[in-house]
Amino acid sequence: MANNGQAADVGLIGLAVMGRNLALNIADHGFSIAVFNRTTSVMQQFVAENSQTPGALIGCESLGVFLAALKSPRVIIVLVKAGPAVDDVVEQLLAAGLQPEDVVVDAGNSNWNDTIRREKQYAQRLKFFGSGVSGGELGARFGPSLMPGGDPDSWRHLKPIWEAIAAKIDPATGKPIPGAAPGHPVTGGVACTAYLGPNGAGHYVKMVHNGIEYVDMQLISEAYYLLRHLLQLAPDELADIFTRWNEGELDSYLIEITADVLRQRDPTNPKKFLVDCILDAAGQKGTGQWTAGSALDLGVPANSIAEAVFARCMSAVKEERVVAAKKLRGPVPGKRKYPRKIIEAIRQALYCSKICAYAQGFQLMRQAQQDYHWKLDFGTIASIWRGGCIIRARFLQKITEAYQRQPELVNLLLDPYFRRQVRVGQDSWRQVVMLAARHGLPAPAFMSALAYYDAYRAAVLPANLLQGQRDYFGAHTYERVDAPRGKFFHVNWPDPQRPQIEV
Ligand code: NBP
């Protein structure tokens, strides 16, 4: 569509998968949008292929032209590769004449520390704002979940665009409103976006979203693995199980696509299922690792998130595993076929583990808000994850309700609804973990989630002995069960009769 000489409402830099889809989504909602890409031919082809959008797409061959095309204050969305490319783009924008009142929105998967640093570094020269975008290519095109964080005044400028293009939830059902198509966006409903807090808050929440996504995917993969080995079912039979599961509590995008992946035939040999032809070596781009690293830094027990990252690392050492498989002895799976009632037990195990994974993610954000001086609204976070993003699920409505009931909820497991769910499912969960161990089937996320649950509900853990060991070899001191917290003692080991000294 032609620009008709009007200044564009918004600009976007970076026309790879995410940028081009987000630009079309924005244009579908009637906003005029100026677009720029480092490689000009990419921009030219994009504009030529998409001339019929409700809002104008204005292709710009230089950043000077790009800046001149935008209304003031300019709102510029940057969707380039996370890392130094973001700083390159900002510096180039400054050199091209960006003004202090202009807002630069980094919508890539940037590390939250970079966002905090950039907001400070560019203060006075521009308004730097961060926003997580989830939902992949299709989400960007037809309604992502958007997690903005930064200066509230910058949010005022971005808000109308973000609320228009985000996925929409039907307030009556709490479910996403489907049906967006090119040129026909969904209107009405509650937008899956909300201002989350200053500086890196949006990118941090997006990172935790991805950390939870890692566990969600790992848990589903473990359920598939156990079903496959314990029941010896073909992929299409397993797909039917996942399709049935998608009609209940586990109803989610990831379960839905799992069924599709399992049904897919190999394009090179339709007699085979594609899943059997895909190498069992997982890749990763780093956000799961960041989440686990942040949990370690903040001292939050997000063990299933870390386990999901390590599970990918273990999968990646394929050649080593092939050698070890011939040398290391243990139970050989697949010797016995289990009755079909194990399917329901695995479903329960998956559901309980999933509750623990989310509990860990929210526990991590609870700690992060203290360390980074944010005030996160967990009910809002759960609500904007109900649609558009990769972890969207019926379950997120329940989390939204849990935090609405009790905004200061310490741990999701303590909410009455989730307590009940785990009470119902935990016998099956334990049975599945035992079966996995007995048959030598690795199920690290199921196991770590159960360990998290049992540790969290244990009033006494073996850390008393551990503190004794620490005091023994390093005089690290210990607290006593019969003294107030914060009072530390030390014994001159190893003579058990020697008096203890208060330190
Ligand atoms: P990529 O992450 O693959 O980045 C490609 C884009 O960055 C191209 O437009 C490229 O321009 C541009 N670029 C690079 Br690389 N270096 C540049 C530089 N120094 N200066 C200017 N432009 C530069 O794109 P993507 O997959 O669309 O992802 C964009 C962002 O969104 C990333 O942060 C990503 O992590 C995040 N994200 C991606 C997904 C997904 O599903 N792909 C989902 C959610 C979030 P060129 O054409 O000239 O090379």
Side-chain angles (χ1 to χ4, degrees):
M1 186 182 256
N3 182 19
N4 298 331
Q6 298 290 311
D9 298 310
V10 59
L12 187 143
I13 297 177
L15 292 169
V17 181
M18 293 300 281
R20 60 176 56 225
N21 282 292
L22 208 75
L24 291 175
N25 186 355
I26 292 170
D28 268 358
H29 283 84
F31 297 101
S32 55
I33 176 165
V35 290
F36 174 84
N37 193 73
R38 179 181 61 175
T39 307
T40 305
S41 58
V42 171
M43 177 280 293
Q44 287 165 332
Q45 192 183 349
F46 172 70
V47 174
E49 285 170 356
N50 296 286
S51 55
Q52 297 303 314
T53 51
L57 272 183
I58 304 151
C60 305
E61 296 192 2
S62 72
L63 283 176
V65 171
F66 176 77
L67 290 183
L70 290 166
K71 278 180 191 163
S72 181
R74 302 178 179 98
V75 176
I76 298 168
I77 300 161
V78 178
L79 261 162
V80 298
K81 195 174 174 65
V86 176
D87 291 297
D88 286 353
V89 168
V90 175
E91 291 297 344
Q92 286 161 21
L93 281 168
L94 284 166
L98 198 73
Q99 295 300 303
E101 67 276 13
D102 295 336
V103 181
V104 174
V105 183
D106 175 15
N109 268 342
S110 289
N111 184 293
W112 80 101
N113 286 313
D114 283 336
T115 307
I116 293 173
R117 188 255 305 160
R118 286 178 181 131
E119 198 194 81
K120 281 196 194 126
Q121 181 176 333
Y122 300 120
Q124 320 303 329
R125 292 192 283 162
L126 60 104
K127 292 184 171 180
F128 192 85
F129 195 87
S131 180
V133 177
S134 177
E137 183 177 356
L138 282 176
R141 179 67 185 87
F142 298 115
S145 173
L146 298 165
M147 292 154 253
D151 156 46
D153 191 54
S154 304
W155 170 237
R156 202 165 51 81
H157 297 294
L158 182 64
K159 192 174 179 225
I161 302 165
W162 251 213
E163 288 186 343
I165 67 165
K168 302 292 183 313
I169 297 294
D170 179 342
T173 63
K175 288 184 172 180
I177 304 175
H184 300 283
V186 168
T187 51
V190 180
C192 289
T193 187
Y195 176 73
L196 297 176
N199 53 58
H203 276 138
Y204 192 89
V205 170
K206 169 61 169 50
M207 175 198 73
V208 174
H209 163 284
N210 285 24
I212 292 173
E213 178 187 309
Y214 269 56
V215 197
D216 233 341
M217 293 171 74
Q218 176 65 24
L219 288 169
I220 293 171
S221 302
E222 289 177 15
Y224 147 79
Y225 195 67
L226 293 174
L227 286 168
R228 186 123 206 218
H229 287 288
L230 297 175
L231 287 159
Q232 291 151 36
L233 296 175
D236 55 347
E237 293 174 294
L238 295 171
D240 292 342
I241 293 172
F242 281 100
T243 299
R244 272 201 306 283
W245 287 0
N246 205 37
E247 287 156 13
E249 289 149 338
L250 288 173
D251 173 0
S252 62
Y253 171 72
L254 283 170
I255 294 279
E256 182 190 326
I257 66 162
T258 297
D260 291 346
V261 171
L262 289 168
R263 263 190 209 103
Q264 177 69 46
R265 299 274 173 173
D266 175 18
T268 64
N269 180 358
K271 285 187 183 150
K272 288 185 173 175
F273 287 98
L274 181 62
V275 72
D276 292 336
C277 306
I278 299 176
L279 189 79
D280 56 323
Q284 48 185 319
K285 283 196 166 172
T287 43
Q289 192 191 330
W290 291 351
T291 317
S294 176
L296 284 171
D297 287 344
L298 301 181
V300 176
N303 56 335
S304 305
I305 295 176
E307 203 59 69
V309 177
F310 289 136
R312 291 197 191 189
C313 300
M314 181 61 93
S315 80
V317 292
K318 170 75 178 173
E319 287 71 23
E320 271 184 59
R321 288 190 289 111
V322 170
V323 173
K326 294 186 189 118
K327 298 194 172 171
L328 302 181
R329 298 181 72 91
V332 179
K335 284 260 164 96
R336 179 178 157 195
K337 194 169 165 183
Y338 272 81
R340 288 185 72 90
K341 66 178 185 207
I342 196 68
I343 297 173
E344 174 55 16
I346 293 173
R347 189 191 72 81
Q348 291 280 12
L350 175 52
Y351 187 45
C352 291
S353 303
K354 181 173 166 122
I355 293 170
C356 287
Y358 281 71
Q360 292 169 31
F362 279 87
Q363 199 180 356
L364 177 57
M365 290 190 285
R366 204 164 171 272
Q367 184 60 46
Q369 73 167 348
Q370 282 184 27
D371 284 51
Y372 294 104
H373 310 292
W374 301 325
K375 178 79 192 89
L376 300 176
D377 180 333
F378 301 116
T380 297
I381 292 169
S383 79
I384 66 172
W385 287 351
R386 290 177 301 175
C389 63
I390 303 296
I391 63 171
R392 64 184 178 265
R394 182 196 290 196
F395 174 78
L396 278 153
Q397 176 61 24
K398 296 293 182 191
I399 302 183
T400 305
E401 289 164 14
Y403 282 107
Q404 281 168 349
R405 269 192 296 276
Q406 215 181 323
E408 301 303 326
L409 184 66
V410 170
N411 187 302
L412 205 55
L413 286 169
L414 298 176
D415 172 73
Y417 173 81
F418 289 110
R419 243 167 42 207
R420 214 166 37 246
Q421 299 299 303
V422 177
R423 198 165 56 228
V424 170
Q426 71 169 290
D427 284 350
S428 301
W429 188 12
R430 294 181 192 283
Q431 187 196 358
V432 167
V433 165
M434 281 191 292
L435 274 179
R438 189 186 307 151
H439 289 273
L441 293 165
F446 277 11
M447 290 174 174
S448 74
L450 184 57
Y452 173 82
Y453 179 71
D454 281 336
Y456 194 65
R457 69 185 191 87
V460 178
L461 286 169
N464 48 347
L465 177 59
L466 198 144
Q467 279 300 100
Q469 293 164 339
R470 293 183 71 238
D471 193 54
Y472 189 111
F473 65 69
H476 291 302
T477 74
Y478 54 87
E479 292 168 279
R480 288 186 55 94
V481 292
D482 51 5
R485 289 297 309 263
K487 224 173 186 184
F488 292 90
F489 297 84
H490 169 61
V491 165
N492 288 324
W493 309 84
D495 179 355
Q497 304 304 325
R498 287 178 89 154
Q500 54 193 334
I501 306 153
E502 197 182 312
V503 287

